Amino acid sequence: MAGARTSGAVRPDEIRQHNLSLVLSHVHRDGALTRAELTQRLHLSRSTVGALVGDLAQLGLVEEVVPSGGERVGRPSHVVAPHAHGPYAVGVDVDIAHVTVAAIGLGGSISTRAVIPTVPEMRPEQLVDLVADALPRLRTTIGSVGRVCGVGVSLPGTVDLVTGRVGVAPNLGWEGVPLGDMLRDVVPADVPVVVGNDADLAVLAEHQRGNARDCDDVVFLIGRIGVGAGIISNGVPVHGRDGHAGEIGHNVLDPSGPLCHCGKRGCIETFLGESALLALAGRALPRTDAKVAELFKDARAGEPGAVRAIALVAEPLGRAIANLMNTLNPERVVLGGSMGEVFDLARADVEAAVARYAFVSDAGVDLVLPAFGTDSALLGAGEVAFTALLADPH
Ligand SMILES: [Zn+2]
């Protein structure tokens, strides 16, 4: 976040907007803060902070409340918190067999969600219909309070961040889909729509409030039917020229390996993807959510086939992490989805492979699970949906 503005050759209304944006962004990221904390953080006068908080309260974005719980001596001090009935972002997380749609409030809290199973080979038009259908349902569920301030969509594919055009989403079978424009046709004109890659959005959420907070060099390795990486380097998200950065699922680990749907052999996805896991455990394909969940449940219960499959995947997972370390030198790697499950079940094997294959074997990278479980990409979608409101509170 940039610093507070008090002077310079900018118009007073620009200074006010900038400072409103700062106060709201701090409360959004960090939760309830006292006026004194805001004054200290923003290097503004108490009266200026008071006026800004008053304006944001007037807009229905924050409210001043007495924090509940905890014994305090003397007069309770009010805190500035996200308004309980303030605007909400709609986060949409597109996975291969289901779509999750959620209302996410300022501060990143999910107030309601719906998980909608999808048909195999869902077309982009079907996703757009699903989102258009979900918006009024969300409103009914959370009541008439609040308003939608943005729609954010996470999906497993490459995305042009400016237009929301999907370049290629192999596991959805999509190529060159103007998804951003299609969605803008079905949401109110004043509601911004942002589309992003699932791993990119997952790393954003974990960096903002989760297990990569205050960590400026982090990779989120997400495992679903495919495998991808979301990267923040020196505090800046890395997308590459066309949004392909982090598409490591099709890096070749072994050219004599299994045939990948992309036409090459031995891609990371053919070793670490969920279909590969099921095949290694001797389970029938095609992959379904239920089969994947059952595999991990069985592995936890010690079923030999499932345990063996996890052990076989631990080594290439460690190798993939080592490759990321050699390329990006992250401080932390967050392992999400099925990669997190494998890591949790075979931590020592994964760490041993990392140590074996990393250029600097004691590089000291932290391997962690996501703070938000399977919700990181969904929350990241909500996060980007708030961008316009945070930049210009209204
Ligand atoms: Zn491939």
Side-chain angles (χ1 to χ4, degrees), residues 249-250 260-262 264 267:
H250 298 282
C260 180
H261 62 81
C262 76
K264 287 179 292 187
C267 294

Side-chain angles (χ1 to χ4, degrees), residues 89-95 98-104 110 112-116 118 122 124 126-135 138 148 150-156 172 174 179 183 186-187 192-198 201-202 224 374-385:
V90 175
V92 180
D93 182 27
V94 181
D95 202 349
H98 63 268
V99 173
T100 306
V101 183
I104 301 166
I110 295 176
T112 181
R113 76 167 77 208
V115 179
I116 304 151
T118 55
M122 173 178 61
Q126 290 172 301
L127 174 66
V128 172
D129 287 348
L130 184 156
V131 172
D133 189 45
L135 290 176
L138 283 181
V148 180
V151 175
V153 180
S154 151
L155 58 81
L172 292 170
W174 298 1
L179 186 66
L183 286 164
V186 299
V187 306
V193 173
V194 186
V195 184
N197 168 269
D198 55 2
L201 294 173
R224 288 175 158 177
T374 54
D375 283 340
S376 307
L378 177 70
L379 288 166
E383 212 50 57
V384 290

Side-chain angles (χ1 to χ4, degrees), residues 98-344:
H98 63 268
V99 173
T100 306
V101 183
I104 301 166
L106 278 164
S109 57
I110 295 176
S111 43
T112 181
R113 76 167 77 208
V115 179
I116 304 151
T118 55
V119 293
E121 295 172 16
M122 173 178 61
R123 301 303 310 144
E125 295 77 14
Q126 290 172 301
L127 174 66
V128 172
D129 287 348
L130 184 156
V131 172
D133 189 45
L135 290 176
R137 286 170 192 264
L138 283 181
R139 166 154 297 285
T140 309
T141 311
I142 64 174
S144 57
V145 291
R147 60 189 157 94
V148 180
C149 67
V151 175
V153 180
S154 151
L155 58 81
T158 66
V159 180
D160 180 311
L161 289 176
V162 179
T163 61
R165 182 180 177 85
V166 178
V168 54
N171 287 310
L172 292 170
W174 298 1
E175 212 173 317
V177 176
L179 186 66
D181 290 341
M182 292 166 72
L183 286 164
R184 283 177 201 108
D185 285 342
V186 299
V187 306
D190 60 343
V191 174
V193 173
V194 186
V195 184
N197 168 269
D198 55 2
D200 290 350
L201 294 173
V203 78
L204 193 71
E206 293 291 329
H207 183 249
Q208 175 91 339
R209 285 192 207 84
N211 282 344
R213 241 197 106 120
D214 305 319
C215 169
D216 279 345
D217 289 279
V218 55
V219 177
F220 191 112
L221 189 60
I222 195 166
R224 288 175 158 177
I225 188 171
V227 176
I231 302 160
I232 290 179
S233 184
N234 291 326
V236 180
V238 175
H239 300 295
R241 191 191 63 181
D242 299 315
H244 297 187
E247 284 296 324
I248 64 157
H250 298 282
N251 283 3
V252 174
L253 269 188
D254 175 2
S256 62
L259 186 65
C260 180
H261 62 81
C262 76
K264 287 179 292 187
R265 282 193 172 274
C267 294
I268 282 184
E269 202 163 298
T270 65
F271 291 97
L272 301 183
E274 288 173 347
S275 298
L277 259 172
L278 288 169
L280 286 170
R283 310 281 166 110
L285 294 174
R287 170 224 173 274
T288 64
D289 288 354
K291 285 181 197 172
V292 173
E294 193 182 326
L295 171 68
F296 289 121
K297 187 166 159 262
D298 290 351
R300 287 183 193 286
E303 194 271 311
V307 170
R308 186 169 163 275
I310 302 293
L312 286 171
V313 164
E315 204 267 355
L317 173 58
R319 220 182 315 157
I321 296 168
N323 288 347
L324 286 169
M325 288 164 64
N326 294 348
T327 312
L328 296 161
N329 186 204
E331 179 186 339
R332 206 163 295 169
V333 175
V334 187
L335 297 156
S338 49
M339 295 301 92
E341 296 272 8
V342 171
F343 174 62
D344 204 32

